[in-house]
Coordinates of all heavy atoms in Angstrom, one line a residue:
P1 N -19.0 15.5 -38.0 CA -19.9 14.6 -37.4 C -19.4 14.3 -35.9 O -18.3 14.2 -35.7 CB -19.8 13.3 -38.3 CG -18.7 13.6 -39.2 CD -18.2 15.0 -39.1
S2 N -20.6 14.2 -35.1 CA -20.3 14.0 -33.7 C -20.2 12.5 -33.5 O -21.1 11.7 -33.8 CB -21.5 14.5 -33.0 OG -21.4 14.1 -31.6
K3 N -19.1 12.0 -32.9 CA -18.9 10.5 -32.6 C -19.2 10.4 -31.1 O -18.9 11.2 -30.3 CB -17.4 10.1 -32.9 CG -17.1 10.2 -34.5 CD -15.7 9.7 -34.6 CE -15.5 9.8 -36.2 NZ -14.2 9.3 -36.5
N4 N -19.6 9.2 -30.8 CA -20.0 8.9 -29.4 C -18.7 8.4 -28.7 O -18.6 7.1 -28.5 CB -21.2 7.9 -29.4 CG -21.7 7.7 -28.0 OD1 -21.3 8.4 -27.1 ND2 -22.5 6.7 -27.8
Y5 N -17.8 9.2 -28.2 CA -16.7 8.9 -27.3 C -17.1 8.9 -25.9 O -17.9 9.7 -25.5 CB -15.5 9.8 -27.6 CG -15.0 9.5 -29.1 CD1 -15.1 10.6 -30.0 CD2 -14.3 8.4 -29.4 CE1 -14.5 10.5 -31.2 CE2 -13.7 8.3 -30.6 CZ -13.8 9.3 -31.5 OH -13.3 9.2 -32.8
K6 N -16.3 8.1 -25.1 CA -16.5 8.2 -23.7 C -15.8 9.6 -23.3 O -15.0 10.1 -23.9 CB -15.8 7.0 -23.0 CG -16.5 5.7 -23.3 CD -15.8 4.6 -22.6 CE -16.3 3.2 -23.0 NZ -15.5 2.2 -22.5
N7 N -16.1 9.9 -22.0 CA -15.5 11.2 -21.4 C -15.7 12.4 -22.2 O -14.8 13.2 -22.5 CB -14.0 10.9 -21.2 CG -13.7 9.9 -20.1 OD1 -14.6 9.7 -19.2 ND2 -12.6 9.3 -20.1
G8 N -17.0 12.7 -22.6 CA -17.3 13.9 -23.2 C -16.8 14.1 -24.5 O -16.6 15.2 -25.1
G9 N -16.6 13.0 -25.3 CA -16.3 13.1 -26.7 C -14.8 13.3 -27.0 O -14.4 13.6 -28.2
N10 N -13.9 13.2 -26.1 CA -12.6 13.2 -26.4 C -11.9 11.8 -26.7 O -11.9 10.9 -25.8 CB -11.9 13.7 -25.1 CG -10.4 14.1 -25.2 OD1 -9.9 13.8 -26.3 ND2 -9.7 14.8 -24.3
P11 N -11.5 11.6 -27.9 CA -11.0 10.3 -28.4 C -9.7 9.9 -27.7 O -9.3 8.8 -27.6 CB -10.8 10.4 -29.8 CG -10.7 11.9 -30.1 CD -11.5 12.5 -29.0
I12 N -8.9 10.9 -27.2 CA -7.6 10.6 -26.6 C -7.8 9.9 -25.2 O -7.2 9.0 -24.9 CB -6.7 11.8 -26.5 CG1 -6.5 12.5 -27.8 CG2 -5.5 11.6 -25.7 CD1 -5.8 13.8 -27.9
H13 N -8.7 10.4 -24.5 CA -9.0 9.9 -23.1 C -10.2 9.1 -23.1 O -11.2 9.4 -22.4 CB -9.1 11.1 -22.1 CG -7.9 11.9 -22.0 ND1 -7.6 12.9 -22.8 CD2 -6.8 11.7 -21.2 CE1 -6.4 13.5 -22.6 NE2 -5.9 12.8 -21.5
S14 N -10.2 8.0 -23.9 CA -11.4 7.1 -23.9 C -11.5 6.1 -22.8 O -12.4 5.3 -22.9 CB -11.5 6.5 -25.3 OG -10.3 5.7 -25.6
A15 N -10.5 6.1 -22.0 CA -10.6 5.0 -20.9 C -11.6 5.5 -19.9 O -11.9 6.7 -19.7 CB -9.2 5.0 -20.2
P16 N -12.2 4.6 -19.2 CA -13.3 5.0 -18.2 C -12.6 5.8 -17.1 O -11.6 5.6 -16.6 CB -13.7 3.6 -17.6 CG -12.8 2.6 -18.0 CD -12.1 3.1 -19.2
H17 N -13.4 6.8 -16.7 CA -12.8 7.7 -15.6 C -13.1 7.0 -14.2 O -14.1 6.6 -13.9 CB -13.6 9.0 -15.6 CG -13.2 10.0 -14.6 ND1 -12.0 10.6 -14.6 CD2 -13.9 10.3 -13.5 CE1 -11.9 11.3 -13.5 NE2 -13.1 11.2 -12.8
R18 N -12.0 7.1 -13.5 CA -12.1 6.6 -12.1 C -11.6 7.7 -11.2 O -10.7 8.4 -11.4 CB -11.1 5.4 -11.9 CG -11.3 4.3 -12.8 CD -11.1 2.9 -12.1 NE -11.1 1.8 -13.0 CZ -12.0 1.3 -13.8 NH1 -13.1 2.0 -13.9 NH2 -11.8 0.2 -14.4
S19 N -12.3 7.8 -10.0 CA -12.0 8.8 -9.1 C -10.7 8.4 -8.3 O -10.2 7.3 -8.4 CB -13.0 9.0 -8.1 OG -13.2 7.9 -7.2
F20 N -10.1 9.4 -7.7 CA -9.0 9.1 -6.9 C -9.2 8.1 -5.8 O -8.5 7.1 -5.5 CB -8.5 10.4 -6.2 CG -7.4 10.2 -5.2 CD1 -6.0 9.9 -5.6 CD2 -7.6 10.2 -3.8 CE1 -5.0 9.8 -4.7 CE2 -6.6 10.0 -2.9 CZ -5.3 9.8 -3.3
F21 N -10.3 8.1 -5.1 CA -10.7 7.2 -4.1 C -11.0 5.8 -4.6 O -10.7 4.8 -3.9 CB -11.9 7.8 -3.2 CG -11.5 9.0 -2.4 CD1 -12.0 10.2 -2.9 CD2 -10.5 9.0 -1.4 CE1 -11.7 11.4 -2.2 CE2 -10.2 10.1 -0.7 CZ -10.8 11.3 -1.1
Q22 N -11.5 5.7 -5.8 CA -11.7 4.3 -6.4 C -10.4 3.7 -6.7 O -10.2 2.5 -6.4 CB -12.5 4.4 -7.7 CG -14.0 4.8 -7.5 CD -14.7 5.0 -8.8 OE1 -14.1 5.6 -9.7 NE2 -15.9 4.5 -8.9
S23 N -9.4 4.5 -7.2 CA -8.1 4.0 -7.5 C -7.4 3.6 -6.2 O -6.7 2.5 -6.2 CB -7.2 5.0 -8.2 OG -7.9 5.4 -9.4
V24 N -7.5 4.4 -5.2 CA -6.8 4.0 -3.8 C -7.5 2.7 -3.3 O -6.7 1.8 -2.8 CB -6.9 5.2 -2.9 CG1 -6.5 4.7 -1.5 CG2 -6.1 6.4 -3.3
C25 N -8.8 2.6 -3.4 CA -9.5 1.4 -3.0 C -9.0 0.2 -3.7 O -8.7 -0.9 -3.1 CB -10.9 1.6 -3.0 SG -11.9 0.2 -2.4
V26 N -9.0 0.2 -5.0 CA -8.6 -0.9 -5.8 C -7.1 -1.3 -5.5 O -6.7 -2.6 -5.4 CB -8.8 -0.7 -7.2 CG1 -8.2 -1.8 -8.1 CG2 -10.3 -0.7 -7.6
L27 N -6.2 -0.3 -5.5 CA -4.8 -0.6 -5.2 C -4.6 -1.1 -3.8 O -3.7 -1.9 -3.5 CB -4.0 0.6 -5.5 CG -3.9 1.1 -6.9 CD1 -3.1 2.3 -7.1 CD2 -3.4 -0.1 -7.8
G28 N -5.5 -0.7 -2.8 CA -5.5 -1.2 -1.4 C -5.9 -2.7 -1.5 O -5.3 -3.6 -0.8
Y29 N -6.8 -3.2 -2.3 CA -7.1 -4.6 -2.5 C -5.9 -5.3 -3.2 O -5.7 -6.5 -2.8 CB -8.4 -4.8 -3.2 CG -9.7 -4.6 -2.5 CD1 -10.6 -3.6 -2.8 CD2 -10.0 -5.4 -1.4 CE1 -11.6 -3.3 -2.1 CE2 -11.1 -5.0 -0.6 CZ -12.0 -4.1 -0.9 OH -13.0 -3.9 -0.3
C30 N -5.2 -4.7 -4.0 CA -4.1 -5.3 -4.7 C -3.0 -5.6 -3.7 O -2.1 -6.4 -4.0 CB -3.6 -4.5 -5.8 SG -4.7 -4.3 -7.2
I31 N -2.9 -4.9 -2.6 CA -1.8 -5.1 -1.7 C -2.2 -6.4 -0.7 O -1.3 -6.8 0.1 CB -1.6 -3.9 -0.8 CG1 -0.2 -3.8 -0.2 CG2 -2.6 -3.7 0.3 CD1 0.3 -2.5 0.3
L32 N -3.3 -6.9 -0.8 CA -3.7 -8.0 0.0 C -2.7 -9.2 0.0 O -2.5 -9.7 1.2 CB -5.1 -8.5 -0.4 CG -5.8 -9.5 0.5 CD1 -5.9 -9.1 1.9 CD2 -7.1 -10.1 0.0
P33 N -2.1 -9.6 -1.1 CA -1.2 -10.7 -1.0 C 0.0 -10.4 -0.2 O 0.5 -11.3 0.5 CB -0.8 -10.9 -2.5 CG -2.0 -10.3 -3.3 CD -2.5 -9.3 -2.5
L34 N 0.5 -9.1 -0.1 CA 1.6 -8.8 0.7 C 1.2 -8.8 2.2 O 2.0 -9.2 3.1 CB 2.1 -7.4 0.4 CG 2.9 -7.3 -1.1 CD1 3.2 -5.9 -1.4 CD2 4.2 -8.1 -0.8
V35 N 0.0 -8.4 2.4 CA -0.6 -8.4 3.8 C -0.7 -9.9 4.3 O -0.3 -10.2 5.4 CB -1.9 -7.7 3.9 CG1 -2.5 -8.0 5.3 CG2 -1.7 -6.2 3.6
I36 N -1.2 -10.8 3.4 CA -1.3 -12.2 3.8 C 0.1 -12.8 4.1 O 0.3 -13.6 5.0 CB -2.0 -13.0 2.7 CG1 -3.5 -12.5 2.7 CG2 -1.9 -14.5 2.9 CD1 -4.3 -13.0 1.5
A37 N 1.1 -12.5 3.2 CA 2.4 -12.9 3.3 C 3.1 -12.4 4.7 O 3.7 -13.2 5.5 CB 3.3 -12.5 2.2
C38 N 2.7 -11.2 5.0 CA 3.3 -10.7 6.3 C 2.6 -11.4 7.5 O 3.3 -11.7 8.5 CB 3.0 -9.1 6.4 SG 3.6 -8.4 7.9
M39 N 1.3 -11.6 7.5 CA 0.7 -12.3 8.5 C 1.1 -13.8 8.6 O 1.4 -14.2 9.8 CB -0.8 -12.3 8.3 CG -1.4 -10.9 8.5 SD -3.2 -10.7 8.3 CE -3.8 -12.3 8.0
F40 N 1.3 -14.4 7.5 CA 1.9 -15.8 7.6 C 3.2 -15.9 8.2 O 3.5 -16.7 9.0 CB 1.9 -16.3 6.1 CG 2.4 -17.8 6.0 CD1 1.5 -18.8 6.3 CD2 3.6 -18.0 5.5 CE1 2.1 -20.1 6.3 CE2 4.1 -19.3 5.4 CZ 3.3 -20.4 5.7
L41 N 4.1 -14.9 7.7 CA 5.5 -14.9 8.3 C 5.5 -14.6 9.7 O 6.3 -15.1 10.5 CB 6.3 -14.0 7.5 CG 6.7 -14.5 6.1 CD1 7.5 -13.4 5.2 CD2 7.4 -15.8 6.1
R42 N 4.6 -13.7 10.2 CA 4.5 -13.3 11.6 C 4.1 -14.5 12.4 O 4.6 -14.8 13.5 CB 3.5 -12.2 11.8 CG 4.1 -10.9 11.7 CD 5.0 -10.6 12.9 NE 5.5 -9.3 12.7 CZ 6.5 -8.9 13.6 NH1 7.0 -9.6 14.5 NH2 7.0 -7.6 13.4
L43 N 3.0 -15.2 12.0 CA 2.5 -16.3 12.7 C 3.4 -17.4 12.8 O 3.5 -18.2 13.8 CB 1.1 -16.7 12.2 CG 0.0 -15.7 12.3 CD1 -1.2 -16.3 11.6 CD2 -0.3 -15.6 13.7
L44 N 4.2 -17.7 11.7 CA 5.1 -18.9 11.7 C 6.5 -18.4 11.6 O 7.4 -19.0 11.0 CB 4.8 -19.7 10.4 CG 3.3 -20.2 10.4 CD1 3.2 -21.0 9.1 CD2 3.1 -21.1 11.4
S45 N 6.8 -17.4 12.4 CA 8.3 -16.9 12.3 C 9.3 -17.8 12.9 O 10.4 -17.8 12.5 CB 8.4 -15.5 13.1 OG 7.9 -15.6 14.4
Y46 N 8.8 -18.6 13.9 CA 9.6 -19.6 14.5 C 9.9 -20.7 13.5 O 11.0 -21.4 13.7 CB 9.2 -20.1 15.8 CG 7.8 -20.7 15.7 CD1 7.7 -22.1 15.6 CD2 6.5 -20.0 15.9 CE1 6.4 -22.7 15.5 CE2 5.4 -20.6 15.7 CZ 5.3 -22.0 15.5 OH 4.1 -22.5 15.4
L47 N 9.0 -21.1 12.6 CA 9.3 -22.1 11.7 C 10.0 -21.6 10.4 O 10.8 -22.3 9.8 CB 7.9 -22.8 11.3 CG 7.2 -23.5 12.3 CD1 5.9 -24.0 11.8 CD2 8.0 -24.7 12.8
V48 N 9.6 -20.5 9.9 CA 10.1 -19.9 8.7 C 11.2 -18.9 9.0 O 10.9 -17.7 8.9 CB 9.0 -19.3 7.9 CG1 9.5 -18.8 6.5 CG2 7.9 -20.2 7.7
S49 N 12.3 -19.3 9.5 CA 13.4 -18.4 9.9 C 14.5 -18.1 8.8 O 15.2 -17.2 9.0 CB 14.0 -18.8 11.2 OG 14.6 -20.1 11.0
H50 N 14.5 -18.9 7.9 CA 15.5 -18.8 6.8 C 15.1 -17.7 5.8 O 14.0 -17.6 5.5 CB 15.8 -20.2 6.1 CG 17.1 -20.2 5.4 ND1 17.2 -19.8 4.1 CD2 18.2 -20.7 5.9 CE1 18.5 -20.0 3.8 NE2 19.1 -20.5 4.8
V51 N 16.1 -16.9 5.5 CA 15.8 -15.7 4.8 C 15.4 -16.1 3.4 O 14.6 -15.3 2.7 CB 17.0 -14.7 4.7 CG1 18.2 -15.3 3.9 CG2 16.6 -13.4 4.4
S52 N 15.8 -17.1 2.7 CA 15.5 -17.5 1.4 C 14.0 -17.9 1.3 O 13.3 -17.6 0.3 CB 16.4 -18.6 0.9 OG 16.2 -19.8 1.7
V53 N 13.5 -18.6 2.4 CA 12.1 -19.0 2.4 C 11.2 -17.6 2.4 O 10.3 -17.5 1.8 CB 11.8 -19.8 3.5 CG1 10.3 -20.1 3.7 CG2 12.6 -21.2 3.5
R54 N 11.7 -16.6 3.3 CA 11.0 -15.4 3.4 C 11.0 -14.6 2.1 O 9.9 -14.0 1.6 CB 11.5 -14.5 4.5 CG 11.3 -15.1 5.9 CD 11.6 -14.1 7.0 NE 12.9 -13.5 6.7 CZ 14.0 -13.5 7.5 NH1 13.9 -14.3 8.5 NH2 15.1 -13.0 7.2
L55 N 12.2 -14.6 1.5 CA 12.2 -13.9 0.2 C 11.4 -14.5 -1.0 O 10.8 -13.8 -1.6 CB 13.7 -13.9 -0.3 CG 14.7 -12.9 0.4 CD1 16.1 -13.1 0.0 CD2 14.2 -11.4 0.2
V56 N 11.3 -15.9 -1.0 CA 10.4 -16.5 -2.0 C 9.1 -16.2 -1.7 O 8.3 -15.8 -2.7 CB 10.8 -18.0 -2.0 CG1 9.8 -18.7 -2.9 CG2 12.1 -18.2 -2.6
L57 N 8.6 -16.3 -0.4 CA 7.2 -16.0 -0.2 C 6.8 -14.6 -0.5 O 5.8 -14.3 -1.1 CB 6.9 -16.3 1.3 CG 5.5 -16.3 1.8 CD1 4.5 -17.1 1.0 CD2 5.4 -16.4 3.2
V58 N 7.7 -13.6 -0.1 CA 7.3 -12.3 -0.3 C 7.5 -11.9 -1.8 O 6.7 -11.2 -2.3 CB 8.3 -11.4 0.6 CG1 8.1 -9.9 0.2 CG2 8.0 -11.6 2.0
A59 N 8.4 -12.5 -2.6 CA 8.5 -12.3 -3.9 C 7.3 -12.8 -4.7 O 6.8 -12.1 -5.7 CB 9.8 -13.0 -4.6
V60 N 6.7 -14.0 -4.3 CA 5.5 -14.4 -4.9 C 4.3 -13.5 -4.6 O 3.5 -13.1 -5.5 CB 5.1 -15.9 -4.4 CG1 3.8 -16.3 -4.8 CG2 6.2 -16.9 -4.9
A61 N 4.2 -13.0 -3.4 CA 3.2 -12.0 -3.0 C 3.4 -10.6 -3.7 O 2.4 -10.1 -4.1 CB 3.2 -11.8 -1.5
L62 N 4.6 -10.3 -3.9 CA 4.9 -9.0 -4.6 C 4.4 -9.2 -6.2 O 3.8 -8.3 -6.7 CB 6.4 -8.7 -4.5 CG 6.8 -7.5 -5.3 CD1 6.2 -6.2 -4.9 CD2 8.3 -7.4 -5.3
A63 N 4.8 -10.3 -6.7 CA 4.4 -10.5 -8.1 C 2.9 -10.5 -8.3 O 2.4 -10.0 -9.3 CB 5.0 -11.8 -8.6
W64 N 2.3 -11.2 -7.4 CA 0.7 -11.2 -7.4 C 0.1 -9.8 -7.3 O -0.8 -9.4 -8.0 CB 0.2 -12.2 -6.2 CG -1.3 -12.4 -6.2 CD1 -2.2 -11.9 -7.1 CD2 -1.9 -13.2 -5.3 NE1 -3.4 -12.5 -6.8 CE2 -3.2 -13.2 -5.6 CE3 -1.4 -13.9 -4.1 CZ2 -4.2 -13.9 -4.8 CZ3 -2.4 -14.5 -3.4 CH2 -3.8 -14.5 -3.8
S65 N 0.7 -9.0 -6.4 CA 0.2 -7.6 -6.2 C 0.5 -6.8 -7.4 O -0.4 -6.0 -7.8 CB 0.9 -7.0 -4.9 OG 0.5 -7.7 -3.8
V66 N 1.7 -6.9 -8.0 CA 1.9 -6.1 -9.2 C 1.1 -6.5 -10.3 O 0.6 -5.7 -11.1 CB 3.5 -6.2 -9.5 CG1 3.8 -5.6 -10.9 CG2 4.3 -5.5 -8.4
Y67 N 0.9 -7.8 -10.5 CA 0.1 -8.3 -11.6 C -1.4 -7.9 -11.5 O -2.0 -7.4 -12.5 CB 0.1 -9.9 -11.6 CG -0.7 -10.5 -12.7 CD1 -0.3 -10.5 -13.9 CD2 -1.9 -11.1 -12.3 CE1 -1.1 -11.0 -15.0 CE2 -2.8 -11.6 -13.4 CZ -2.4 -11.6 -14.7 OH -3.2 -12.1 -15.6
A68 N -1.9 -7.9 -10.3 CA -3.3 -7.4 -10.1 C -3.4 -5.9 -10.3 O -4.3 -5.5 -10.9 CB -3.7 -7.8 -8.6
S69 N -2.4 -5.1 -9.8 CA -2.5 -3.7 -10.0 C -2.3 -3.3 -11.5 O -2.8 -2.3 -12.0 CB -1.5 -2.9 -9.1 OG -0.2 -3.3 -9.5
I70 N -1.4 -4.0 -12.2 CA -1.1 -3.7 -13.6 C -2.4 -4.0 -14.4 O -2.8 -3.2 -15.3 CB 0.0 -4.5 -14.1 CG1 1.3 -3.8 -13.6 CG2 0.0 -4.5 -15.7 CD1 2.6 -4.5 -14.0
G71 N -3.1 -5.1 -14.0 CA -4.4 -5.3 -14.7 C -5.4 -4.1 -14.6 O -6.1 -3.8 -15.4
F72 N -5.4 -3.6 -13.3 CA -6.3 -2.5 -13.0 C -5.8 -1.3 -13.9 O -6.7 -0.5 -14.5 CB -6.3 -2.1 -11.6 CG -6.8 -0.8 -11.3 CD1 -8.3 -0.6 -11.4 CD2 -6.1 0.2 -10.8 CE1 -8.7 0.7 -11.1 CE2 -6.6 1.4 -10.4 CZ -8.0 1.7 -10.6
I73 N -4.6 -1.0 -13.9 CA -4.1 0.2 -14.6 C -4.3 0.0 -16.1 O -4.6 1.1 -16.7 CB -2.6 0.4 -14.3 CG1 -2.4 0.7 -12.8 CG2 -1.9 1.4 -15.2 CD1 -3.1 2.1 -12.4
K74 N -4.1 -1.1 -16.6 CA -4.2 -1.4 -18.0 C -5.6 -1.0 -18.5 O -5.8 -0.5 -19.6 CB -3.9 -2.8 -18.4 CG -3.8 -3.2 -19.8 CD -3.6 -4.6 -20.1 CE -2.2 -5.0 -19.6 NZ -1.8 -6.5 -19.9
A75 N -6.6 -1.3 -17.7 CA -8.0 -1.0 -18.1 C -8.4 0.4 -17.9 O -9.3 0.8 -18.5 CB -8.9 -2.0 -17.2
S76 N -7.6 1.2 -17.1 CA -8.2 2.5 -16.8 C -7.2 3.6 -17.2 O -7.4 4.8 -16.8 CB -8.4 2.6 -15.3 OG -7.3 2.5 -14.6
S77 N -6.2 3.4 -18.0 CA -5.2 4.4 -18.4 C -4.9 4.4 -19.8 O -5.0 3.3 -20.5 CB -4.0 4.4 -17.6 OG -3.3 3.1 -17.9
P78 N -4.6 5.5 -20.5 CA -4.3 5.5 -21.9 C -2.9 4.8 -22.1 O -2.1 4.7 -21.2 CB -4.1 7.0 -22.3 CG -4.1 7.7 -21.0 CD -4.7 6.8 -19.9
D79 N -2.7 4.3 -23.3 CA -1.5 3.5 -23.6 C -0.2 4.3 -23.5 O 0.9 3.7 -23.1 CB -1.6 2.9 -25.0 CG -2.6 1.7 -25.1 OD1 -3.0 1.1 -24.1 OD2 -3.1 1.5 -26.3
S80 N -0.3 5.5 -23.8 CA 1.0 6.3 -23.8 C 1.4 6.6 -22.4 O 2.5 7.1 -22.1 CB 0.7 7.6 -24.5 OG -0.3 8.4 -23.9
R81 N 0.6 6.5 -21.3 CA 0.9 6.9 -19.9 C 1.0 5.7 -19.0 O 1.2 5.8 -17.8 CB -0.1 7.8 -19.4 CG -0.1 9.0 -20.3 CD -1.0 10.0 -19.7 NE -0.5 10.5 -18.3 CZ 0.1 11.6 -18.0 NH1 0.1 12.5 -19.0 NH2 0.4 11.9 -16.8
K82 N 0.9 4.4 -19.5 CA 0.9 3.2 -18.6 C 2.2 3.2 -17.8 O 2.2 2.9 -16.6 CB 0.7 2.0 -19.4 CG -0.7 1.8 -19.7 CD -1.0 0.5 -20.4 CE -2.6 0.6 -20.6 NZ -3.0 0.0 -21.9
A83 N 3.4 3.3 -18.5 CA 4.7 3.2 -17.8 C 4.8 4.2 -16.7 O 5.2 3.9 -15.6 CB 5.8 3.2 -18.8
L84 N 4.3 5.4 -17.0 CA 4.4 6.5 -16.0 C 3.5 6.2 -14.8 O 3.9 6.6 -13.7 CB 3.9 7.8 -16.8 CG 4.0 9.1 -15.9 CD1 5.5 9.4 -15.6 CD2 3.4 10.2 -16.7
I85 N 2.5 5.5 -15.0 CA 1.5 5.3 -14.0 C 1.9 4.0 -13.1 O 1.8 4.0 -12.0 CB 0.1 5.1 -14.5 CG1 -0.4 6.4 -15.1 CG2 -0.8 4.7 -13.4 CD1 -1.7 6.4 -15.9
V86 N 2.4 3.0 -13.9 CA 2.9 1.8 -13.2 C 4.1 1.9 -12.4 O 4.2 1.2 -11.3 CB 3.0 0.6 -14.3 CG1 3.5 -0.6 -13.7 CG2 1.6 0.3 -14.8
Y87 N 5.0 2.7 -12.8 CA 6.3 2.7 -12.0 C 6.1 3.0 -10.6 O 6.7 2.4 -9.7 CB 7.2 3.7 -12.7 CG 8.5 3.9 -11.9 CD1 9.5 3.0 -11.9 CD2 8.7 5.1 -11.3 CE1 10.7 3.1 -11.2 CE2 10.0 5.3 -10.6 CZ 10.9 4.4 -10.5 OH 12.0 4.5 -9.8
P88 N 5.5 4.1 -10.1 CA 5.4 4.5 -8.8 C 4.6 3.3 -8.0 O 4.9 3.1 -6.8 CB 4.6 5.8 -8.6 CG 4.3 6.2 -10.0 CD 4.8 5.2 -11.0
I89 N 3.7 2.7 -8.7 CA 2.9 1.6 -8.0 C 3.8 0.4 -7.7 O 3.8 -0.1 -6.5 CB 1.7 1.2 -8.8 CG1 0.7 2.4 -8.9 CG2 1.0 0.0 -8.3 CD1 -0.4 2.2 -9.9
I90 N 4.6 0.1 -8.7 CA 5.5 -1.1 -8.5 C 6.6 -0.7 -7.4 O 6.9 -1.5 -6.5 CB 6.2 -1.4 -9.7 CG1 5.2 -2.0 -10.7 CG2 7.4 -2.3 -9.5 CD1 5.8 -2.4 -12.1
L91 N 7.1 0.6 -7.4 CA 8.0 1.0 -6.3 C 7.4 1.0 -4.9 O 8.0 0.6 -4.0 CB 8.5 2.4 -6.8 CG 9.5 3.0 -5.9 CD1 10.9 2.1 -6.1 CD2 9.9 4.4 -6.2
F92 N 6.1 1.4 -4.8 CA 5.4 1.2 -3.6 C 5.4 -0.1 -3.1 O 5.6 -0.4 -1.9 CB 3.9 1.9 -3.8 CG 3.1 1.7 -2.5 CD1 3.4 2.4 -1.5 CD2 2.0 0.8 -2.7 CE1 2.5 2.2 -0.3 CE2 1.2 0.6 -1.5 CZ 1.4 1.3 -0.4
Y93 N 5.0 -1.1 -4.0 CA 4.9 -2.4 -3.5 C 6.3 -3.1 -3.2 O 6.3 -3.9 -2.2 CB 4.2 -3.4 -4.6 CG 2.7 -3.0 -4.8 CD1 2.1 -3.1 -6.0 CD2 1.9 -2.7 -3.7 CE1 0.7 -2.9 -6.2 CE2 0.6 -2.4 -3.8 CZ 0.0 -2.6 -5.0 OH -1.4 -2.3 -5.2
V94 N 7.2 -2.7 -3.9 CA 8.6 -3.2 -3.6 C 9.0 -2.6 -2.2 O 9.6 -3.4 -1.4 CB 9.6 -2.7 -4.7 CG1 11.1 -3.0 -4.2 CG2 9.3 -3.5 -6.0
V95 N 8.7 -1.4 -2.0 CA 9.2 -0.9 -0.6 C 8.3 -1.7 0.5 O 9.0 -2.0 1.5 CB 8.9 0.6 -0.5 CG1 9.0 1.2 1.0 CG2 9.8 1.3 -1.4
I96 N 7.1 -1.9 0.3 CA 6.3 -2.7 1.3 C 6.9 -4.0 1.4 O 7.0 -4.5 2.5 CB 4.8 -2.7 0.8 CG1 4.2 -1.3 0.9 CG2 4.0 -3.6 1.8 CD1 4.1 -0.6 2.2
A97 N 7.2 -4.7 0.4 CA 7.7 -6.1 0.3 C 9.1 -6.1 1.1 O 9.4 -7.0 1.9 CB 7.8 -6.7 -1.0
W98 N 9.9 -5.1 0.9 CA 11.2 -5.0 1.6 C 11.0 -4.8 3.1 O 11.7 -5.4 3.9 CB 12.1 -3.8 1.0 CG 13.4 -3.8 1.6 CD1 13.9 -2.8 2.5 CD2 14.5 -4.6 1.4 NE1 15.1 -3.1 2.8 CE2 15.5 -4.2 2.3 CE3 14.6 -5.9 0.8 CZ2 16.7 -4.8 2.3 CZ3 15.9 -6.5 0.9 CH2 16.8 -6.0 1.6
L99 N 10.0 -4.0 3.5 CA 9.7 -3.8 4.9 C 9.2 -5.1 5.5 O 9.6 -5.4 6.7 CB 8.6 -2.7 5.1 CG 9.1 -1.2 4.8 CD1 7.8 -0.4 4.8 CD2 10.1 -0.8 5.8
I100 N 8.4 -5.9 4.8 CA 8.0 -7.2 5.3 C 9.1 -8.2 5.5 O 9.3 -8.8 6.6 CB 6.9 -7.7 4.4 CG1 5.6 -7.0 4.4 CG2 6.6 -9.2 4.7 CD1 4.6 -7.3 3.4
V101 N 10.1 -8.2 4.5 CA 11.2 -9.1 4.6 C 12.1 -8.7 5.8 O 12.6 -9.6 6.6 CB 12.0 -9.0 3.4 CG1 13.3 -9.8 3.5 CG2 11.3 -9.9 2.3
N102 N 12.3 -7.5 6.1 CA 13.1 -6.9 7.1 C 12.5 -7.0 8.5 O 13.1 -7.1 9.5 CB 13.6 -5.6 6.8 CG 14.8 -5.5 5.8 OD1 15.4 -6.5 5.6 ND2 14.8 -4.4 5.0
D103 N 11.2 -6.9 8.5 CA 10.4 -6.8 9.7 C 10.4 -8.1 10.4 O 10.3 -8.3 11.6 CB 9.0 -6.2 9.5 CG 8.2 -6.1 10.8 OD1 8.9 -5.5 11.8 OD2 7.2 -6.7 10.9
V104 N 10.2 -9.2 9.6 CA 10.0 -10.5 10.0 C 11.2 -11.2 10.3 O 11.4 -12.4 10.4 CB 9.1 -11.3 9.1 CG1 8.7 -12.6 9.6 CG2 7.8 -10.5 8.9
S105 N 12.4 -10.6 10.3 CA 13.7 -11.1 10.4 C 14.0 -11.5 11.8 O 15.2 -11.9 12.1 CB 14.8 -10.3 9.9 OG 14.8 -9.0 10.7
A106 N 13.1 -11.5 12.8 CA 13.4 -11.8 14.2 C 13.6 -13.3 14.3 O 13.2 -14.2 13.6 CB 12.3 -11.3 15.1

């Protein structure tokens, strides 16, 4: 019997198909908290000069970015591959956050 599965009847890949450019666009929007933190630290670099304040602000923005991107990945990837997909995204956001912390250290 023919079952009505998404993606051409394949029950293994029943998550909705997203193109590469849709994924890049959504993950670009997920980086917005880090961009806002960078702009905030740039504009107020003379007031926020202590490294612990910068680390806390960037850590909050990093957590927000990771949470948003994991929500996107959870909805669009199979359960068996989530860790494989999430790891490079988290690594990317951590590198961006580290660049922000080090760049605003003036």
